[in-house]
């Protein structure tokens, strides 16, 4: 128990000290540049299935990684042992590896003048000091609510209550060093239903940085059950071309393909369906994609990126026109551009919607398919060809008629993006991409 307590006491200051120790050792060994990241994650996860505890897990992981640059050569090493001896050994290994790698003139730290200089409190750290027994109790309550919802709910893959707190520190030989902590909490439930000899499965979850903002365990279970029962009686449909409405959880992924295509790696490798697309109209003019990295408590908020570059608000897509790429320092240099503070990915992408809720979008669609689950990875990032297995509901005259399964929706993303008819106001805040339901005016739906 003493060892657990010792490990739990490692905080941001201690992580910064470890980073400084590694940087000092790298300087002593004569590198040109170096960067170090240290982290610690603690968490608790409790899973109940069929009224009993299936899994109870406590995690306490820590690690340190160092990257050194010498004569345009790069080497890196990592360790989960944070003793001074192990850190010195990791730094020495990174230096040794750098002596064996090829020169790359684009490698190195981000430009010094881009480093973050302002300390921002983004309100990301909200502990949930839940005891294991209470977590188990909530998981059991969640699953019990789902199983009691409808007699056709006859099995479960379990309910899980989880909490995690992670602390991060980063520093480099430009003199930058920073740290922060962030939490995430969730309740998830997955159940199965049977009717007429066929079975269906669905799930629901709630997540937040603040434990007090989680939906109740009972409501999560009931929502999972309701979604599962709604899938019963699923039918195949004939192949057709029709409008497709993505629910918010899937709409964010639909936009996510575009973000991947405009990332620096895809651009400099020439492997993107949006190659050299800055200045082009890639969406309808009502579409905006806004990056807002400093939203308090949001999923993807960061004061600085993975290279210490200060993050900032920008509009990636304005009135449908692509304004710029998503770049870290390496990809920026490869393209002859400047980092956009996106080493490690984009931060809090917002796609503002209309004033129409999900019901209004159904009415506007008239007849078509509501997609509620996608199956497979049928997206070609080079050509933009899109083909995904889909599960959902068929709609006629703005009203849901029946569940649908065993269909494929297809098209090319370049074309599909311009066919976006409307974005709803039902934004999903559980992701780094905030988007409402998304109506595409026509797609190929391959069925029976």
């Amino acid at each position: 128990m003493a060892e657990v307590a010792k490990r739990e006491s490692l905080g941001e200051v201690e992580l910064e000290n470890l980073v400084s120790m590694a940087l000092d050792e790298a300087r002593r060994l004569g590198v040109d540049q170096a960067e170090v990241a240290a982290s610690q994650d603690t968490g608790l996860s409790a899973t109940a299935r069929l009224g009993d505890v299936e899994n109870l897990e406590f995690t306490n992981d820590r690690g340190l990684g160092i990257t050194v640059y010498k004569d345009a050569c790069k080497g890196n090493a990592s360790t989960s042992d944070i003793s001074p001896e192990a850190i010195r050994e990791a730094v020495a290994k990174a230096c040794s590896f750098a002596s064996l790698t090829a020169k790359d003139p684009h490698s190195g730290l981000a430009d010094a003048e881009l480093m973050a200089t302002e300390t921002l409190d983004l309100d990301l750290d909200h502990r949930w000091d839940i005891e294991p027994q209470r977590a188990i109790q909530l998981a059991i309550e969640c699953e019990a609510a789902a199983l009691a919802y409808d007699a056709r709910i006859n099995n479960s893959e379990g309910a899980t209550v989880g909490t995690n707190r992670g602390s991060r520190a980063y520093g480099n030989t430009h003199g930058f060093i920073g740290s922060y902590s962030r939490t995430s909490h969730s309740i998830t439930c997955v159940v199965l239903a049977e009717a007429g000899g066929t079975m269906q499965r669905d799930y629901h979850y709630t997540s937040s940085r603040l434990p007090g903002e989680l939906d109740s365990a009972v409501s999560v279970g009931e929502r999972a059950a309701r979604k599962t029962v709604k899938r019963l009686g699923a039918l195949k449909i004939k192949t057709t071309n029709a409008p497709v409405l993505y629910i918010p959880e899937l709409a964010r992924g639909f936009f996510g393909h575009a973000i991947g295509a405009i990332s620096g790696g895809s651009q400099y490798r020439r492997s993107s369906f949006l190659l050299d697309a800055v200045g082009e109209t890639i969406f309808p003019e009502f579409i905006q994609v806004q990056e807002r990295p400093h939203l308090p408590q949001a999923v993807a908020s960061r004061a600085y990126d993975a290279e210490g570059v200060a993050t900032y608000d920008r509009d990636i897509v304005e009135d449908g026109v692509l304004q710029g790429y998503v770049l870290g320092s390496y990809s920026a240099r490869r393209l002859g551009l400047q980092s956009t503070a996106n080493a490690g990915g984009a931060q809090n992408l917002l796609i503002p919607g209309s004033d129409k809720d999900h019901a209004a979008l159904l009415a506007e669609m008239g007849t078509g398919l509501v997609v509620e689950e996608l199956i497979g990875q049928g997206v070609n990032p080079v050509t933009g060809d899109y083909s995904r297995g889909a599960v959902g509901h068929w709609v006629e005259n703005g009203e849901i008629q029946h569940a649908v399964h065993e269909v494929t929706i297809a098209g090319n993303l370049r074309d599909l993006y311009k066919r976006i008819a409307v974005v709803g106001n039902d934004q999903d805040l559980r992701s780094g991409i905030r988007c409402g339901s998304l109506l595409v005016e026509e797609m190929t739906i391959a069925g029976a």
Side-chain angles (χ1 to χ4, degrees):
M1 293 299 293
E3 174 62 20
V4 171
K6 180 180 177 182
R7 289 177 65 86
E8 288 180 343
S9 68
L10 193 64
E12 295 171 33
V13 173
E14 290 84 359
L15 291 174
E16 288 190 11
N17 289 339
L18 295 176
V19 169
S20 295
M21 180 192 306
L23 290 172
D24 289 343
E25 180 67 9
R27 292 187 184 98
R28 188 184 72 79
L29 294 178
V31 303
D32 298 328
Q33 295 180 328
E35 57 184 341
V36 179
S39 65
Q40 174 161 320
D41 289 278
T42 58
L44 174 70
S45 174
T47 300
R49 182 173 180 271
L50 301 179
D52 202 359
V53 181
E54 183 170 76
N55 186 60
L56 182 63
E57 181 177 5
F58 173 73
T59 58
N60 194 343
D61 300 324
R62 59 177 58 172
L64 179 144
I66 179 164
T67 301
V68 301
Y69 305 92
K70 186 170 178 60
D71 299 328
C73 297
K74 173 183 175 181
N76 53 32
S78 62
T79 177
S80 58
D81 182 348
I82 59 170
S83 66
E85 297 79 9
I87 290 175
R88 284 194 291 269
E89 182 181 2
V91 176
K93 288 292 185 184
C95 293
S96 174
F97 295 158
S99 69
L100 302 173
T101 60
K103 292 181 182 291
D104 185 344
H106 306 292
S107 66
L109 301 178
D111 297 341
E113 63 269 20
L114 300 180
M115 295 295 105
T117 57
E118 185 179 1
T119 300
L120 300 177
D121 180 8
L122 302 179
D123 198 19
L124 307 179
D125 187 14
H126 296 268
R127 295 174 185 260
W128 190 10
D129 295 320
I130 185 171
E131 294 295 326
Q133 192 57 46
R134 177 55 180 161
I136 291 169
Q137 180 185 356
L138 285 176
I140 290 174
E141 290 176 1
C142 181
E143 184 195 45
L147 294 173
Y149 181 81
D150 191 291
R152 292 169 292 180
I153 302 288
N154 65 351
N155 206 344
S156 167
E157 293 185 8
T160 300
V161 174
T163 178
N164 175 271
R165 183 175 188 264
S167 296
R168 305 283 185 270
Y170 170 85
N172 59 40
T173 49
H174 285 327
F176 173 85
I177 190 164
S179 62
Y180 62 93
S181 296
R182 60 188 181 189
T183 53
S184 62
H185 318 292
S186 63
I187 303 174
T188 307
C189 186
V190 186
V191 291
L192 296 89
E194 183 177 7
T198 62
M199 297 187 68
Q200 295 292 338
R201 167 192 175 278
D202 211 332
Y203 72 99
H204 189 63
Y205 75 99
T206 178
S207 64
S208 177
R209 293 203 184 279
L210 287 75
E213 291 193 356
L214 294 174
D215 297 337
S216 72
V218 169
S219 68
V220 171
E222 290 177 343
R223 180 73 180 272
R226 184 161 60 250
K227 291 167 66 176
T228 303
V229 169
K230 190 179 175 183
R231 286 192 177 193
L232 291 171
L235 304 174
K236 298 179 182 179
I237 59 174
K238 293 182 179 180
T239 296
T240 185
N241 290 336
V244 169
L245 179 63
Y246 289 86
I247 62 173
E249 295 95 318
L250 303 182
R252 65 194 186 207
F254 193 69
F255 279 103
H257 300 309
I259 301 304
I262 64 171
S263 68
S266 297
Q267 292 292 318
Y268 79 72
R269 293 186 183 99
R270 315 297 289 175
S271 58
S272 168
F273 69 92
L274 293 177
L275 194 61
D276 301 326
V278 167
E280 292 185 24
T281 299
I282 61 174
F283 293 108
E285 65 178 12
F286 62 85
I287 294 293
Q288 321 292 327
V289 180
Q290 304 164 341
E291 185 174 31
R292 300 293 184 263
H294 300 156
L295 296 177
Q297 303 175 3
V299 172
S301 292
R302 292 190 292 179
Y304 54 87
D305 74 357
E307 298 178 312
V309 176
T311 54
Y312 56 95
D313 290 354
R314 68 176 182 133
D315 292 345
I316 297 175
V317 173
E318 188 173 349
D319 299 334
V321 178
L322 180 63
Q323 303 297 308
Y325 301 123
V326 176
L327 306 173
S329 64
Y330 182 80
S331 59
R333 291 182 187 125
R334 291 291 299 260
L335 295 168
L337 301 171
Q338 188 177 76
S339 171
T340 57
N342 290 122
Q347 298 101 192
N348 296 329
L349 299 181
L350 281 58
I351 295 94
S354 65
D355 59 354
K356 296 181 178 180
D357 60 16
H358 189 75
L361 295 184
L362 289 177
E364 181 164 335
M365 179 169 66
T367 297
L369 178 68
V370 179
V371 176
E372 296 164 346
E373 181 181 356
L374 291 170
I375 302 168
Q377 304 296 322
V379 181
N380 187 322
V382 179
T383 65
D385 289 336
Y386 179 95
S387 180
R388 306 287 303 274
V391 176
H393 286 82
W394 186 250
V395 174
E396 293 181 3
N397 299 318
E399 299 288 339
I400 290 177
Q401 301 300 306
H402 58 80
V404 171
H405 64 172
E406 297 183 19
V407 299
T408 300
I409 55 175
N412 185 277
L413 288 170
R414 272 278 200 173
D415 180 47
L416 296 177
Y417 285 152
K418 292 185 177 180
R419 293 186 185 180
I420 295 174
V422 64
V423 178
N425 65 2
D426 50 346
Q427 277 196 353
D428 182 5
L429 304 184
R430 300 171 297 179
S431 167
I433 300 179
R434 296 186 173 188
C435 181
S437 297
L438 175 69
L439 178 61
V440 180
E441 60 187 18
E442 184 177 271
M443 294 182 70
T444 297
I445 304 171

